[in-house]
Amino acid sequence: MSASSSSSTSLSAGVPGAPKEYPAGSIVRIHCYQFLTYRDVTITPGPRLNMVVGPNGTGKSSIVCAIAIGLGCKLRDLGRSETLGEFVMQGYEKGYVEIELKGKTGKDNVKIKRALKRGGQTSKWYLNDQIKPEKDVMAVIANTGAQIGNLCTFLPQEKVGEVSGFDGPALLVETEKA
C-alpha cells in the first residue's frame, strides 16, 4: 500500500511478480481530504493482502477509519469518536473520504464518497459523483462483494480482541467468507 502527503500525496503498493488483478469488491483507491491527520492523500492498495504499519502518530488509524467510514461502518464499531464531524481535520470545516471499489467482472469500478462537516453527525453520500441516499450506496457496496463487516477482510485495531476470541469453526467460517 502506498500513500502520500504534501499538498497532495499518493501512496501505492506492489510486489514484483505478484498478481495484478483485483478481486471484485477490493479497494483500489482511497482518497482522504481534510480527514483526521491527512490534508490530501491518495492511497492505492495492492490487489491482495495489505497491512498498515508504521510508528505511532503516522496516520495508520486515520487510514483504517477512512476505509470504515467510507464504506458505511457505524461509529460505535470504530470506538474512536462519537460524531462524524470529529473526523474532519483540525482547523477545517469540511472533509471527505472517497473509496473506489473494483467492480464485478465486466462492470465499471464503483466510486463512493462520504462528505463530512465539522460539528455534524450527518454526512452526504455520493455514488460515482452523484448525491445518493445512504441506503442506495450501501446496496451498491454490498453488491460489489466488499466485506467491511468481516473481521478476516478488515480488522481495525479495536477489533483484534474479537478475532482472538473466535473458536476454530467460527474463524474458519469468517476466513472462507473472505
Side-chain angles (χ1 to χ4, degrees), residues 88-120:
V88 175
M89 187 178 205
Q90 287 292 349
Y92 295 93
E93 291 302 311
K94 297 178 181 178
Y96 67 81
V97 173
E98 187 174 80
I99 303 209
E100 184 177 346
L101 298 175
K102 177 69 176 168
K104 290 189 175 180
T105 304
K107 301 284 185 180
D108 290 338
N109 287 356
V110 176
K111 190 165 56 170
I112 298 153
K113 179 177 172 181
R114 192 169 188 186
L116 312 172
K117 192 192 274 186
R118 179 161 299 289

Side-chain angles (χ1 to χ4, degrees), residues 79-161:
R80 182 172 177 136
S81 295
E82 295 187 19
T83 66
L84 285 166
E86 293 177 46
F87 290 90
V88 175
M89 187 178 205
Q90 287 292 349
Y92 295 93
E93 291 302 311
K94 297 178 181 178
Y96 67 81
V97 173
E98 187 174 80
I99 303 209
E100 184 177 346
L101 298 175
K102 177 69 176 168
K104 290 189 175 180
T105 304
K107 301 284 185 180
D108 290 338
N109 287 356
V110 176
K111 190 165 56 170
I112 298 153
K113 179 177 172 181
R114 192 169 188 186
L116 312 172
K117 192 192 274 186
R118 179 161 299 289
Q121 178 54 5
T122 61
S123 58
K124 285 187 182 173
W125 288 94
Y126 297 79
L127 185 58
N128 297 323
D129 299 319
Q130 296 184 352
I131 292 178
K132 295 287 183 180
E134 179 179 5
K135 66 179 178 62
D136 292 359
V137 176
M138 292 301 106
V140 169
I141 291 170
N143 191 44
T144 65
Q147 299 178 39
I148 192 71
N150 183 333
L151 295 177
C152 291
T153 58
F154 179 76
L155 183 59
Q157 183 176 344
E158 294 80 9
K159 297 290 185 175
V160 170

Side-chain angles (χ1 to χ4, degrees), residues 4-135:
S4 55
S5 75
S6 58
S7 61
S8 180
T9 304
S10 180
L11 301 177
S12 54
V15 175
K20 303 286 188 230
E21 300 272 334
Y22 286 83
S26 295
I27 297 172
V28 297
R29 185 178 57 82
I30 305 161
H31 182 203
C32 300
Y33 182 73
Q34 295 175 183
F35 183 85
L36 289 176
T37 57
Y38 292 108
R39 165 81 176 83
D40 190 8
V41 65
T42 298
I43 302 160
T44 53
R48 299 290 180 240
L49 176 66
N50 288 274
M51 298 182 350
V52 182
V53 296
N56 288 341
T58 57
K60 299 179 302 295
S61 293
S62 294
I63 295 169
V64 172
C65 287
I67 294 168
I69 287 172
L71 294 178
C73 186
K74 302 298 179 203
L75 291 183
R76 69 178 172 274
D77 293 336
L78 285 175
R80 182 172 177 136
S81 295
E82 295 187 19
T83 66
L84 285 166
E86 293 177 46
F87 290 90
V88 175
M89 187 178 205
Q90 287 292 349
Y92 295 93
E93 291 302 311
K94 297 178 181 178
Y96 67 81
V97 173
E98 187 174 80
I99 303 209
E100 184 177 346
L101 298 175
K102 177 69 176 168
K104 290 189 175 180
T105 304
K107 301 284 185 180
D108 290 338
N109 287 356
V110 176
K111 190 165 56 170
I112 298 153
K113 179 177 172 181
R114 192 169 188 186
L116 312 172
K117 192 192 274 186
R118 179 161 299 289
Q121 178 54 5
T122 61
S123 58
K124 285 187 182 173
W125 288 94
Y126 297 79
L127 185 58
N128 297 323
D129 299 319
Q130 296 184 352
I131 292 178
K132 295 287 183 180
E134 179 179 5
K135 66 179 178 62

